[in-house]
Amino acid sequence: MMKRFILATSLILAACSSDPEASGLDVVRNFVTPEEYVPPPRFTALFNEPRPVLDVEFTDLGVTGKLILEQQDGPYARYISADLGGIVLQKGMLHSMYGFGEPLAGADLTEPLGLVIAGRAGQTDRLHTYLNGEDRTVSRTYRCEVSIIGQRSVDLPTGSVETTLMSENCHGITNSFENLYWVDRKRDEIIQSRQWAGENIGSLVTQVTFP
């Protein structure tokens, strides 16, 4: 899957070409031959209108890529790659992920998300549900401490954004990790982050660019 994700990265980078005479879909079609890869209609249809793009770096695996927004459902944003791997963010916080190693079926983020978006410190609990190799759910709980680090500027392709940097230190039975969130106060949303995804994947860095 990670090799295909690199191909997905190339496809989306081509689709984001600055050539004003070519649509994103045209560039994708010209980038690869049918023998190499044919993006599914579900993916290519997304280039009919400007959409947010999610930059992702799997820091422990040394893999980077871009995904495009497929669907926005309230606070939930689902981004997909050209081979239909997906990441779901809840106001920028990692909710679920599929197609990239150990599937994260979902996370209960009610407590940490509330503090992070509000810019408040405090203790919270979070619950992660994964699918194991037998497609059975495995749940893991974490006790976390949310802290305020301070104001930071984030440079996006569309310009600089003022944010509040928040940290979340979590401890479970077998794992401990720290998440970092850069919160855009105008949007009340995390636009940049470093988040722990699971034992087999480690951490990923995300940044959202809005059209």
Side-chain angles (χ1 to χ4, degrees):
M1 171 57 75
M2 283 301 176
K3 290 183 178 179
R4 296 202 304 272
F5 179 61
I6 295 173
L7 171 60
T9 298
S10 300
L11 287 169
I12 297 178
L13 283 170
C16 295
S17 168
S18 59
D19 182 358
E21 300 299 324
S23 69
L25 181 54
D26 289 335
V27 176
V28 167
R29 286 172 174 162
N30 294 332
F31 187 79
V32 293
T33 64
E35 291 78 15
E36 290 177 315
Y37 187 75
V38 178
R42 175 181 167 189
F43 175 78
T44 55
L46 301 178
F47 292 98
N48 292 330
E49 59 186 66
R51 287 176 174 267
V53 172
L54 179 68
D55 286 88
V56 177
E57 177 185 359
F58 292 86
T59 57
D60 294 352
L61 303 177
V63 175
T64 62
K66 292 177 182 284
L67 292 83
I68 192 167
L69 179 69
E70 181 182 36
Q71 183 176 342
Q72 183 79 46
D73 184 10
Y76 300 94
R78 183 173 67 213
Y79 293 84
I80 64 169
S81 65
D83 59 351
L84 304 183
I87 292 177
V88 178
L89 301 180
Q90 184 178 350
K91 280 191 170 292
M93 193 172 285
L94 181 63
H95 174 270
S96 52
M97 181 170 61
Y98 52 91
F100 304 109
E102 183 181 26
L104 174 60
D108 184 348
L109 307 172
T110 304
E111 294 184 8
L113 185 62
L115 288 182
V116 168
I117 295 299
R120 294 188 290 112
Q123 290 189 334
T124 69
D125 292 309
R126 60 157 61 216
L127 171 69
H128 294 185
T129 301
Y130 296 90
L131 293 178
N132 64 18
E134 299 177 348
D135 286 334
R136 295 181 179 178
T137 58
V138 177
S139 296
R140 301 165 189 159
T141 58
Y142 301 93
R143 186 67 170 169
C144 306
E145 183 77 27
V146 175
S147 303
I148 305 167
I149 297 179
Q151 303 304 304
R152 298 290 190 277
S153 294
V154 174
D155 292 325
L156 300 175
T158 53
S160 179
V161 178
E162 294 303 315
T163 69
T164 301
L165 178 57
M166 306 288 293
S167 70
E168 179 191 20
N169 282 280
C170 299
H171 302 275
I173 295 176
T174 59
N175 302 104
S176 297
F177 55 89
E178 180 186 21
N179 293 334
L180 295 174
Y181 309 102
W182 286 258
V183 183
D184 182 349
R185 290 297 167 210
K186 292 183 178 179
R187 288 182 174 273
D188 280 337
E189 186 170 350
I190 299 160
I191 61 170
Q192 181 173 287
S193 72
R194 188 192 73 193
Q195 304 185 56
W196 192 77
E199 294 178 355
N200 297 332
I201 296 177
S203 296
L204 69 156
V205 173
T206 67
Q207 187 181 82
V208 179
T209 299
F210 297 93

